[in-house]
Amino acid sequence: MPITRLLKTASLCTTIATAAAADYTLTLQETGMRSYYCTITVSLTNTTDAPLTEVNGHFFSFLGDEQVGRSKGASFLNLAPGDSAEAVFETPNAPCDDVTSYRFVIGACRIESSFIDKAECAGLIDPTDPISGAEGF
């Protein structure tokens, strides 16, 4: 294969992988406290041209490498292309002010009318700091 064709193919693969990784953006908006719950408000933005029906999940909270909490679940629902939605996740007895990062764990993911694999869905989400990643088991 000629080198120019190989470079074009590699460039196309990189472009496709980059586009897929940024289909949805997950952003921490604010933290707070309610009773003994640490709350985080998180937004999910749909940057695709297809409706996102649902992403459901919960967050693990970390202090360095140590997991220090697990939130209750919440959902982002019915995001049209270009839209954002917010959800509040509550973690009981977590050291709210000390948390250094969060990891989103997907429980369910529907694009239009079809459920997709949770790990595949996680690969479509681009988390912003201090959200360190998205996972689908």
Side-chain angles (χ1 to χ4, degrees), residues 14-112:
T14 301
T15 302
I16 291 169
T18 301
D23 285 355
Y24 311 105
T25 304
L26 198 59
T27 307
L28 178 68
Q29 297 298 323
E30 67 180 358
T31 62
M33 289 293 295
R34 185 184 68 77
S35 298
Y36 60 92
Y37 290 98
C38 174
T39 62
I40 60 171
T41 302
V42 178
S43 66
L44 183 69
T45 303
N46 180 356
T47 59
T48 72
D49 58 0
L52 176 66
T53 307
E54 174 185 14
V55 173
N56 171 278
H58 63 273
F59 277 91
F60 289 134
S61 302
F62 292 87
L63 180 58
D65 291 334
E66 180 185 1
Q67 182 183 328
V68 294
R70 180 201 185 279
S71 75
K72 294 179 177 182
S75 296
F76 300 97
L77 300 170
N78 303 318
L79 275 81
D83 280 356
S84 293
E86 290 186 347
V88 176
F89 296 85
E90 300 179 326
T91 305
N93 301 315
C96 207
D97 294 334
D98 298 328
V99 171
T100 56
S101 67
Y102 303 90
R103 188 168 306 131
F104 187 56
V105 179
I106 296 170
C109 186
R110 286 189 298 155
I111 297 175
E112 295 183 1

Side-chain angles (χ1 to χ4, degrees), residues 1 10 16-17 20 50 54 70 111 114 116 126 132 135:
M1 179 181 292
I16 291 169
E54 174 185 14
R70 180 201 185 279
I111 297 175
S114 299
I116 68 167
D126 184 18
S132 63
E135 298 176 358

